[in-house]
Amino acid sequence: MSESSTNGIPSSTLSPDLENQGGSTLTFHNISYSVKVKSGFLCCRKTASKEVLRDLNGIMRPGLNAILGPTGSGKSSLLDILAARKDPHGLSGDILINGAPQPANFKCTSGYVVQDDVVMGTLTIRENLQFSAALRLPNSVKEQDRNERVNQIIKELGLSKVADSKVGTQFTRGVSGGERKRTNIGMELITDPTILFLDEPTTGLDASTANAVLLLLKRMAKQGKTIIFSIHQPRYSIFRLFDSLTLLAAGRMLYHGPAQQTITYFQSIGYECEPYNNPADFFLDIINGDSTAVTVNKTDEDNSAESVEEHIEYNTTLAEKLAEKYCNSTYYQETKSILENISLGNTKKTKAFFRQITYTNSFCHQLKWVSRRTFKNLVGNPQASIAQVVVTVFLGLVVGTIFFGLKNDTTGLQNRVGAMFFLTTNQCFSSISAIELFVVEKKIFIHEYISGYYGTAAYFISKLMADLIPIRTLPSIIFTCITYFMLGLKPTAEAFFIMLFTLTMVSYTATSMALAIATGHDVVAVANLFMTITFVFMIIFSGLLVNLTSIMSWLSWLKYFSIPRYGMTALQINELSGLNFCTNNTGWCTGDQYLKSQGIDVSTWGLWQNHVALACMTVIFLAISYLKLRFMKKFS
């Protein structure tokens, strides 16, 4: 191999198109990564350390740098480590950028395109790119300049014809898969990063679209960008675009060097690629021990003693043998020599610590843009909110019809209490829909948070403003306006607004509890089940199904955690106090007597202490939800 070099890097390992181009060079030195794996059940549960990557060394230069390997080979883990997006626990080794330690906020300054699409489907392509530009470019950049940057990227990515089309959701049809993938790439190109990471960029795309995406990346690479991506099984037209190839199996490096010299390397260690066979498939067949893809070179002294059967079954031993052969190759020795020269000039190396996240713009600027997008998403996806309003109107009419025209007698008293129980219970169970608030967009939030779009507080407050206020307040107003007058409750403005305020507070508190339970979960069904069980126990202590004064003392404390109890108590005081229900068949002549028999304080403070309790519970639940969101694991 040639010993001539460019910037200290042998020209033999550079693509001809990239030898004279500048750009960032990423080097990784002795990267090892292990995770804790738990096995067994309960008291017999054991924790063991599993090695994911072992002693990896390599150089990623400007161009297309592919990381190839079978499922479980560690390619996604290596990609995340290089992009500073992996949990640093269990990680060792050093990563340098142009020979200098990796910046602490590297994840915010580089680009990272995740495997799953993380663009807002209710927004257009242009709106998604404008959102990225507004939060990732400094506030000093004028709006006109930001828009010009967005238009430039739209043109470069070939999205001009669909720029003002919505990306699409499960309810509305949007752009194609390739256009969606290019939009994801465009979101990361806003800051013009010198290094761009992509996790399985061809996943979910047909062969033609996948080829088009890689051609786009190839054009960007020729402009001097360092593009690093993991890929599973590319077709030949995609493979031939690679400048560098890193081949992994069982966490070991089997090859790292020029992609077009990979076949020659494997030929030198006894593996012959058949004519018309896709090289990528050929490499994976070797790793998996497929004998039909293997030809043993009997003239090689190291391989003459090996039988074909040793290559049939894939296991760790085979990966170890292939990794050992690579370690003895000139490719590895040359790479190792370059890495040693680079690391000698650095006394301070990058260690495995939690790297910081920096934000380009202020909190107020973040809140403004995240809130704007959240409201656009709400307006652009009205199915859930409209359905909730329709259901609220229907239930309000049903309740109003069933309890229509309440009278001041024994039946009227019973019906009033029953109606109030239904009103508070309905408010609680309707809030279960809030479970999805922080679950559906979890992947989007994690990606944008790590990339430095916005902080947790800005995202949390914006979601509350878009859900807690409109989605929970409007149904309470509709429900109160319909039922209050159909039931014929107290004909005073004060009583009406107290009832409206009470139902709104119950809805806020129940919604806050739903958020506190669901935040951080991946499965909505689990949070839904837990919420339902919790509300059932709360209903038991609401004051209707059992007289709270008769409950044993060691259980009575549970009533203080019942949201329906506070709402129902406030509604009963508001409606029943001062009413006369005297008949020959009842033991209660007034509403106050009934309330006292239930252990309810009929004073003014007795009414408002329920609202104070609901407000305190709301604050506590929201604080729990925020803390769970704040400290949620955001690294893979």
Side-chain angles (χ1 to χ4, degrees), residues 358-427:
T358 56
Y359 305 106
T360 308
N361 295 284
S362 64
F363 170 80
C364 292
H365 185 84
Q366 295 173 26
L367 182 61
K368 169 189 171 182
W369 278 92
V370 179
S371 299
R372 179 183 296 184
R373 185 182 69 169
T374 305
F375 278 106
K376 280 185 178 180
N377 182 49
L378 181 66
V379 174
N381 189 22
Q383 289 83 356
S385 55
I386 292 177
Q388 188 169 8
V389 171
V390 171
V391 170
T392 299
V393 172
F394 175 75
L395 287 177
L397 293 174
V398 170
V399 174
T401 302
I402 295 174
F403 297 99
F404 185 80
L406 295 174
K407 298 180 180 179
N408 293 346
D409 55 15
T410 305
T411 303
L413 174 61
Q414 180 182 358
N415 288 345
R416 278 178 171 84
V417 176
M420 293 168 193
F421 173 77
F422 182 85
L423 293 177
T424 53
T425 303
N426 176 72
Q427 292 297 93

Side-chain angles (χ1 to χ4, degrees), residues 501-558:
F501 180 71
T502 301
L503 291 181
T504 303
M505 286 301 300
V506 170
S507 181
Y508 284 0
T509 309
T511 300
S512 302
M513 189 180 79
L515 295 179
I517 291 175
T519 302
H521 278 271
D522 294 315
V523 183
V524 175
V526 175
N528 200 335
L529 178 62
F530 194 78
M531 275 291 298
T532 304
I533 294 174
T534 304
F535 279 141
V536 168
F537 278 98
M538 285 185 172
I539 289 172
I540 295 176
F541 291 90
S542 63
L544 176 70
L545 303 179
V546 61
N547 191 308
L548 298 179
T549 59
S550 65
I551 298 179
M552 292 176 287
S553 58
W554 63 278
L555 277 177
S556 61
W557 60 273
L558 290 172

Side-chain angles (χ1 to χ4, degrees), residues 65-86:
N65 300 272
I67 303 174
L68 181 67
T71 302
S73 62
K75 57 183 183 295
S76 293
S77 296
L78 176 59
L79 185 76
D80 288 341
I81 289 170
L82 299 181
R85 291 172 179 252
K86 179 65 73 174

Side-chain angles (χ1 to χ4, degrees), residues 8 29 96 99 334-346:
H29 310 249
L96 305 178
E334 186 174 307
T335 300
K336 191 70 174 175
S337 175
I338 298 170
L339 294 177
E340 288 175 354
N341 292 332
I342 293 175
S343 61
L344 285 176
N346 291 277

